[in-house]
Amino acid sequence: PTRAALTLTPSAVNKIKQLLKDKPEHVGVKVGVRTRGCNGLSYTLEYTKTKGDSGEEVIQDVRVFIEKKAQLTLLGTEMDYVEDKLSSEFVSNNPNIKGTCGCGESFNI
């Protein structure tokens, strides 16, 4: 079987479900990659109403669409949702990242 580009932890699935509950017109979320920060790439997460031109769809209780250009950079990544006293955010644990920078590679919603 082919390896999914992205897997979600139960915590991430629950948070996405919670976020989508108030947005019945959206079918899921879309993960993309943008160039920014001091090390080149950061992930983006946005609500989406259609599959559109997404390259891949991951279904794990929720629908997550992956932008074509993000597929290679996301391969094998696990998306988690982490909450602590200071912040709550989605964190991508990507085995392919060779180096990260001081500003961090996670993103907030």
Side-chain angles (χ1 to χ4, degrees):
T2 57
R3 201 161 103 216
L6 184 69
T7 54
L8 304 171
T9 64
S11 170
V13 168
N14 288 338
K15 184 61 183 179
I16 292 171
K17 269 185 176 162
Q18 206 179 320
L19 292 168
L20 287 170
K21 205 170 57 186
D22 310 328
K23 302 185 167 45
E25 73 279 15
H26 292 87
V27 295
V29 293
K30 181 159 59 172
V31 179
V33 173
R34 297 284 172 275
T35 306
R36 78 155 200 246
C38 46
N39 214 31
L41 293 173
S42 69
Y43 296 115
T44 61
L45 192 62
E46 53 199 32
Y47 298 110
T48 184
K49 294 181 180 178
T50 62
K51 181 171 190 229
D53 59 356
S54 301
E56 190 173 335
E57 180 180 356
V58 176
I59 300 177
Q60 249 183 269
D61 245 9
V62 290
R63 294 172 76 186
V64 178
F65 303 100
I66 298 169
E67 282 183 3
K68 283 193 180 86
K69 66 180 179 186
Q71 279 177 277
L72 284 172
T73 50
L74 277 168
L75 196 65
T77 296
E78 178 188 69
M79 190 159 99
D80 194 8
Y81 183 73
V82 180
E83 279 181 277
D84 61 34
K85 288 189 185 82
L86 295 174
S87 67
S88 53
E89 59 189 352
F90 284 99
V91 178
S92 298
N93 302 309
N94 186 333
N96 308 309
I97 289 177
K98 298 284 185 280
T100 55
C101 56
C103 66
E105 282 297 286
S106 58
F107 48 86
N108 291 321
I109 279 197

